Amino acid sequence: MSSTDPSTGGPLTDDGLVQLLTPEGERVSHPDYDARVAHLTADDLRGMYRDMVLVRRFDTESTSLQRQGELALFAQALGQEAAQIGSGRALAAQDHVFPSYREHGVAHTRGVDLTEVLRLFRGVDHGGWDPVANGFHLYTLVIGSHALHATGYAMGVQRDGRVGTGDPQRDTAVAVYFGDGATSQGDVSEALVFAAVNNAPLVFFCQNNQWAISEPTTRQTRVPLSHRGTGFGIPSVRVDGNDVLASYAVTAEALERARSGGGPTFIEAFTYRMGAHTTSDDPTRYRSAAEEEYWRRRDPIDRLAAHLRATGELSPEFEAQVSAEADALGERIRTAVRSMGRPEAVSMFEHVYATSHPTVDAERAWFEAYESSFLDSASEGSHR
Amino acid sequence: MSTTLDAVHAPTAAAPAPSRVGQKITFAKAINLGLRRALEQDAKVLLMGEDIGKLGGVFRVTDGLQKDFGEDRVVDTPLAESGIVGTAIGLAMRGYRPVCEIQFDGFIFPAFDQITTQLAKMHYRSKGRLTLPVVIRVPFGGGIGAVEHHSESPEALFAHTAGLRVVSPSTPGEAYTMIQSAIASPDPVLFFEPKGRYWEKADVDLDGEPSLGLNKARVVRAGSDVTIVAYGPTVLTALKAAATAEAEGTSVEVVDLRSISPIDVDTVVESVRKTGRCVVVHEAPVAFGAGAEVAARVTEQCFFHLHAPVLRVGGFHAPYPVAKIEHDYLPSLDRVLDAVDRAIAY
C-alpha cells in the first residue's frame, strides 16, 4: 500500500514536497532551495549522517531499556531523524526551541545530553535538562499546548528588539515542533492566530508522521497540513521530511524570515513514524506491513548514506568510526539510566511554588514527621 | 484597614489607621492605578486581554493605560482565552510579567488547561529553573443582573490546583495594593475581582506600599460570639451582618481571607478559638467550595473550642440562575444572619 495518492490531492499527496535528495540518494536541483545548501561541505553532510545514526542508536537502546524494565515508557523518533536533524542544524545558538516529546534529534542538535531526556521516561524527573542553557524547552506532553508558549516567547523576542536588526548574533527565531495530530488542537490554531497577527518570529515545524497513535492523518484533515498555515495568512511549505538536506533548507529559510522580521512560517515535514507511538503501542492493530515496507524503502539515513557513497564522501573508515561512537553512546545510555536512582520522596514538595506556600510547608512538615516516626528511619532513611 | 468601607463597618474594632493621602476612588479605578504603578515601575510588566486597549476593558479597569504605555505593553489580544494565557506563559519564560484580563469569570474555561496544566506546573516541572510570574485578573461574582456566564465564582477550581495562588481583594484600598503584590509575585496568581463592587468608592492611600503580602488574612472587625469568614464580595455582606447582629446583642468577628490559596489558617483558627463559632460565606457554590476547606481546617484545629458545627453560606449546587432570581441564589444578608443565629442556637 502506498500512503501517497497524488490523484486525490488530499492530505496523503506528496505533491509539492520540496526535495533535494531522492529516496535513492540522488541530488536533485530545486530553484528556490539549492542556494540554502550551497555552503554545506562534505563534512557538514557527514555530520548530519553521524547525528542521525547516533539518534537512531539512542532510540533502539532506549527501547531495549524499556523492554528490560529500566524505563517506564519510551517514544521513538525512528524514521523522523532527517526532519529533526536537518531542521535542528539550521538553528542558531540564540534561537529557542519548543519541542513536543519525540524531538530527540532536535535535542541532540541543541547540545542536550540524550541521557538527560531519559530521566523523564525513567520516572525520576518531569523534565531533565536546563531549558534556558540549551535553548531547548522541556518536552510538553499535552498535545499542542506549547505552540502558544512558543508564540508568547517569540512575542517577547520582538519586544526585546531582537528581530530585524541585521545582526546575525542578535536576531533570534523561535521554533515549535508538533505533529499531525496536534494540528487539530485549538491551541495550535490559536497559536497560528497570535503568531500571524503579531508577525511573531516563529517557525511552526509540523512533522506529519502520518499517525497520531492509531489515527491516520485523514482523521485530522482533508487537505495537506501545510494548508493550515496558509489559511492563517502564514507562508507555508511542504518538505520531504525524510530528506535531511531539504529539511535543512526550508527551515533555514523560515528561520531567516523570522529573524529578519518577516514573521512566522509553517513547515509541513512529510515523514513517517517507523516505530510505535510509544512502547505501549501496537501498530499492527491499525496499519499494514506493506505500508511500513513502503516507508522503510524511504529510510532517511539510508538516503543520505546512499548520496554520500555515490559521491565518494562516506568512507568505510568513517562509517566504522560513527558505528563505534554509537556503540559508546549505547553503553553510556545503559550505564546512565541504571544509575538514575529514586528521588527522595520529600522532593515532591520542592518547587511547587517559587515562594513559601503555607499549605505545602505544613504538608511537608507532616510528611517528614510521619516518615521519621518509623523506628528504622534513622538507619534506612525510609520505612520502605 | 484604610478604607471608608472598613471605617464604617468596624465600629468596635481597633481603630483603623487614618490614611495619609486619602482619595475617594472606585474599586475599578484602584486596580487601574495599581496597574499603572506596576507598569511605571517595571518595564517588563505588560497587560494582555480582550478590549483592554482603546476601550479600556468592558469594565474600564485598564482605561487610559494603552494610551500612556503603548500597544506593545497594553495588548489587545485575539478573542482566545487559551491563547492569552498560553502566550503569557511564553512571555514570562522570556522574562516578562504579563497581567492577563479574562473578560468574565465564565470565559476562563477555554484557558483552564493552560492555567492548570502548564502555568501551575512549569516551575515544578523545571525543578525551579523557570518561574512564571503571570497574573490572571478575573472579574467574578454576581449581583449585576447579567446574562449567563457573567456572574460565576470559579475560585475553588484554581485553589485546588497546586502551583497557583488565588486571591481576592474586598476593598478599593486592598485592590490597589494587592494587584501590585500579585504582579511582584514570582508565582502565578489568580486575581479575582468582585465585579459587583467595581463602582464602590472609598479612600485609597495611593502612596501606600503593599505591606500585608498575599498570604495573610485580616480581621476586619473584632467580635466575641461568632466568626464570619469571607473574601472578595462577601466581606461587605459579612460586615453588614455583623452590624445588624450587634444591634441584636451578638458580637461578630469578621475575617477577610484575602487569599484562598493559601488560606491563612492561623488567623482563622485564632479567631474561632476565641468565638467558638464559625460561619463561612462565599458566592461560589457551597458544595466542594473554599468553605469546605475552611470548615475542615477549623474542625481539625478548634475541635474542643467549637460550640457549633462550622456552617457555610453560599451558592447552591445549581448553575448560576437567571438575573431575576440571582439574589435568591447569592448569600444575602438575611441568609448570613440566619446562619449566625443557627450557630448561636446550636
Side-chain angles (χ1 to χ4, degrees), chain A residues 175-214:
Chain A
V176 56
Y177 287 76
F178 54 95
D180 40 291
T183 62
S184 297
Q185 287 284 351
D187 275 0
V188 171
S189 283
E190 292 189 20
L192 289 163
V193 172
F194 276 71
V197 301
N198 287 293
N199 206 40
L202 180 59
V203 177
F204 291 91
F205 196 91
C206 175
Q207 289 168 92
N208 176 3
N209 70 10
Q210 314 298 327
W211 291 97
I213 306 188
S214 70

Side-chain angles (χ1 to χ4, degrees), chain A residues 94 98 119 125-132 137-140 142 145-146 148-153 155-157 159-160 162 172 187 190 193-194 197-198 347-359 363, chain B residues 44 46 48 71-73 75 77-78 80-84 86-91 93-94 96 113-114 117-118 120 122-131 161-165 185-187 215 261-263 297:
Chain A
Q94 70 270 25
F98 287 80
R119 297 185 65 80
D125 229 324
H126 284 326
W129 55 92
D130 184 335
V132 179
H137 187 64
L138 302 175
Y139 279 178
T140 297
V142 179
S145 296
H146 59 305
L148 285 167
H149 308 161
T151 306
Y153 193 94
M155 290 163 63
V157 168
R159 282 163 176 73
D160 291 344
R162 292 190 170 262
T172 302
D187 275 0
E190 292 189 20
V193 172
F194 276 71
V197 301
N198 287 293
S347 70
M348 74 175 84
F349 298 103
E350 287 164 9
H351 307 302
V352 182
Y353 293 87
T355 50
S356 169
H357 189 287
T359 308
E363 291 183 352
Chain B
K44 293 293 188 183
L46 53 88
M48 310 167 66
E71 294 181 2
D72 280 347
R73 296 191 65 199
V75 185
T77 64
E81 286 77 12
S82 189
I84 294 169
T87 53
I89 290 170
L91 279 155
M93 286 182 197
R94 186 72 192 181
Y96 288 84
D113 173 56
Q114 284 289 345
T117 312
Q118 303 298 335
M122 199 72 79
H123 186 69
Y124 191 74
R125 187 180 302 150
S126 68
K127 293 198 289 190
R129 288 180 175 122
L130 300 173
T131 55
T161 301
L164 303 174
R165 292 176 183 276
S185 168
D187 290 313
N215 286 358
S261 177
I263 288 178
R297 300 284 176 186

